[in-house]
Amino acid sequence: MASSSVDVIKVSVRFFAAARDRAGCSSCELELGPSATATVQQALDALVAKFPPLKGLLPHVRVAVDQEFAPLDSRLLEGAELALIPPVAGGAGGAGGAEGAGGAEGAGGSEGLFRIVEGPLSLGEVVKAVESTGRGGLVTFSGVVRDVSKGKKVTRLEYEAYAPMAEKKLREIAAEAKAQWPGVEVAVVHRVGTLVPGELAVVIGVSAPHRKEAFRGCEFIIDRLKQDVPIWKKEYAEDGEVWVGLGP
């Protein structure tokens, strides 16, 4: 029977961080069928058959479909892009889990400065993006690479990101903050690539009419970033390396 008559769909899959290490590649394509019942779970089953080392990682992985976290029973359409999202730099994973992973219902996006970059960061950039004479409180956060982690000397970090989804999630999180604290403005820039101790990994600026909302908003942004934004870091110490959030 000709392949064109087979009731299947084709989807693409992207692997990041520990998932890429175990798959041995950064992407692949799958054919799933029958098309009417193709789901995220079916895609995961097919991936384990194709890349057996992924099996032990799946309990720790969430799945994104077209840059949105999706539950295991989500239907897949022709041309969908899946991404395996291992635990991010500050969070713990859960297979396919969409529950509690996304933004507030209907939060939408947020205009402003939300970027993933490869070069050095400037705190002044996020300050400029949120400062205003109408907002009297302005709080910043600078995340700096440490030289010690869990008693071990760190030589460098390797950050990577699913950049389009990461920037989208940052906008959604900022929209959540604005909904919770009206008048808040947010800017976030995160660096990827090789960083050594002392270098900035992330800079955040949050302004509000009053200081309390600015402080709370800034803490909210960094906490949510570490839960749901697809950015990973591999920590290199004198005795080995590890993806932070996953363990050896």
Side-chain angles (χ1 to χ4, degrees):
M1 182 179 293
S3 61
S4 60
S5 65
V6 177
D7 183 23
V8 300
I9 62 169
K10 291 184 178 180
V11 300
S12 61
V13 183
R14 299 185 65 178
F15 304 107
F16 294 94
R20 184 188 61 250
D21 290 351
R22 298 203 185 192
C25 59
S26 60
S27 64
C28 75
E29 290 192 349
L30 294 177
E31 288 190 351
L32 304 173
S35 60
T37 59
T39 63
V40 169
Q41 182 62 68
Q42 186 181 4
L44 291 179
D45 293 342
L47 287 172
V48 169
K50 190 178 181 71
F51 305 106
L54 284 174
K55 183 176 181 179
L57 182 65
L58 290 188
H60 309 285
V61 165
R62 286 182 285 177
V63 179
V65 178
D66 295 329
Q67 300 178 19
E68 293 290 344
F69 289 118
L72 297 177
D73 60 357
S74 292
R75 284 278 308 280
L76 297 176
L77 301 178
E78 173 72 25
E81 179 185 82
L82 284 70
L84 296 196
I85 309 294
V88 296
E99 295 78 11
E105 187 72 24
S110 176
E111 297 300 324
L113 179 66
F114 305 99
R115 297 171 53 213
I116 305 298
V117 302
E118 295 184 357
L121 303 183
S122 166
L123 185 62
E125 183 180 17
V126 294
V127 170
K128 184 176 180 180
V130 300
E131 64 184 357
S132 167
T133 55
R135 292 187 288 274
L138 197 161
V139 174
T140 64
F141 174 83
S142 300
V144 181
V145 177
R146 295 173 295 170
D147 63 356
V148 175
S149 177
K150 297 180 180 179
K152 299 178 181 179
K153 183 174 178 59
V154 174
T155 58
R156 72 182 191 277
L157 297 179
E158 296 282 350
Y159 279 92
E160 70 172 270
Y162 183 12
M165 182 177 174
E167 292 178 348
K168 181 178 181 180
K169 286 297 177 187
L170 288 173
R171 288 192 293 271
E172 291 176 358
I173 291 167
E176 291 179 43
K178 290 183 178 184
Q180 189 164 347
W181 299 286
V184 160
E185 290 295 332
V186 179
V188 185
V189 184
H190 203 298
R191 186 176 175 185
V192 294
T194 302
L195 283 74
V196 298
E199 291 190 297
L200 289 171
V202 60
V203 288
I204 299 172
V206 178
S207 64
H210 304 287
R211 66 182 184 276
K212 182 183 294 184
E213 290 80 6
F215 276 109
R216 289 179 176 175
C218 191
E219 184 177 30
F220 174 84
I221 294 295
I222 188 61
D223 286 347
R224 292 282 284 109
L225 184 157
K226 286 180 170 291
Q227 291 171 359
D228 288 331
V229 179
I231 300 172
W232 302 270
K233 64 181 178 182
K234 180 178 276 191
E235 187 176 86
Y236 290 82
E238 294 176 322
D239 62 346
E241 61 197 57
V242 62
W243 285 107
V244 175
L246 184 63

